[in-house]
Amino acid sequence: GQNIDQPTEMTATEGAIVQINCTYQTSGFNGLFWYQQHAGEAPTFLSYNVLDGLEEKGRFSSFLSRSKGYSYLLLKELQMKDSASYLCACLEGGTALIFGKGTTLSVSS
Amino acid sequence: DTAVSQTPKYLVTQMGNDKSIKCEQNLGHDTMYWYKQDSKKFLKIMFSYNNKELIINETVPNRFSPKSPDKAHLNLHINSLELGDSAVYFCASSQGLASGYTFGSGTRLTVV
């Protein structure tokens, strides 16, 4: 079975930095993904971590610690358009992504 | 040119009806999926097909039947629709791991 936990909601202001945490317990772990989903739209791929450490992509970075079952998504220089749901997902056994319930981020000016 | 396209985008139907949702991907991916997103935004895997073969079938009522005529298409047929089937259904495809899944724009199903 699998259990993926992330905060339900977070708020932040434009220009700030926010970190969205995700803890997981899965069997046959094959990687951790972060997706962004704006209201009424499809999820879009942000990052993939399979080894421990930090992956940086522009304003977004993702970190993984496999021994701790922990990941975070770091968003820098927040913009209003970053208001969205952020979904943490684990790949189990190379078969399918199992998603957490998502974190709704609200960015205010 | 849409990578993963689903039709219809919206579907409103009465309880007890049978309906189908179609999905096509032009990415050349081998694996396709159906996910259900409920009112609380929880995205849950339903089915996965690899090269037309069913590889994942989660605990889904057998009123739901996926069909993959070729590796570019994965359709979802739902019999005897119930109120609880109301949700957004997303099709997705993938090839390898590092690039993640590509999702369609979703089909919002409302059962009345």
Side-chain angles (χ1 to χ4, degrees), chain A residues 34-106:
Chain A
W34 285 94
Y35 277 78
Q36 180 191 60
Q37 187 178 24
H38 285 100
E41 296 183 11
T44 54
F45 170 74
L46 289 178
S47 68
Y48 167 62
N49 294 67
V50 67
L51 299 176
D52 288 355
L54 188 69
E55 296 276 344
E56 296 186 77
K57 264 190 196 180
R59 294 189 299 115
F60 292 6
S61 304
S62 56
F63 172 82
L64 176 67
S65 168
R66 288 172 298 170
S67 61
K68 294 190 169 112
Y70 168 68
S71 173
Y72 67 73
L73 181 69
L74 192 71
L75 293 78
K76 301 177 188 173
E77 300 167 20
L78 278 173
Q79 302 174 10
M80 298 291 283
K81 68 177 182 180
D82 297 329
S83 293
S85 286
Y86 291 86
L87 310 174
C88 175
C90 291
L91 186 65
E92 282 209 340
T95 53
L97 280 181
I98 308 301
F99 284 86
K101 294 189 177 179
T103 299
T104 300
L105 174 66
S106 300

Side-chain angles (χ1 to χ4, degrees), chain A residues 2 30 33 35 37 40-45 47-48 57 85 87 91 94-102, chain B residues 9 31 33 35 37 40-45 48 55-56 90 97-106 108:
Chain A
Q2 60 279 332
N30 255 328
F33 292 76
Y35 277 78
Q37 187 178 24
E41 296 183 11
T44 54
F45 170 74
S47 68
Y48 167 62
K57 264 190 196 180
S85 286
L87 310 174
L91 186 65
T95 53
L97 280 181
I98 308 301
F99 284 86
K101 294 189 177 179
Chain B
K9 191 168 174 62
T31 311
Y33 311 83
Y35 279 82
Q37 190 167 44
K40 294 183 180 175
K41 310 299 181 193
F42 182 39
L43 203 58
K44 191 171 180 184
I45 181 74
S48 170
I55 55 172
I56 292 177
F90 284 101
L97 300 177
S99 54
Y101 289 19
T102 303
F103 283 84
S105 57
R108 182 173 293 278

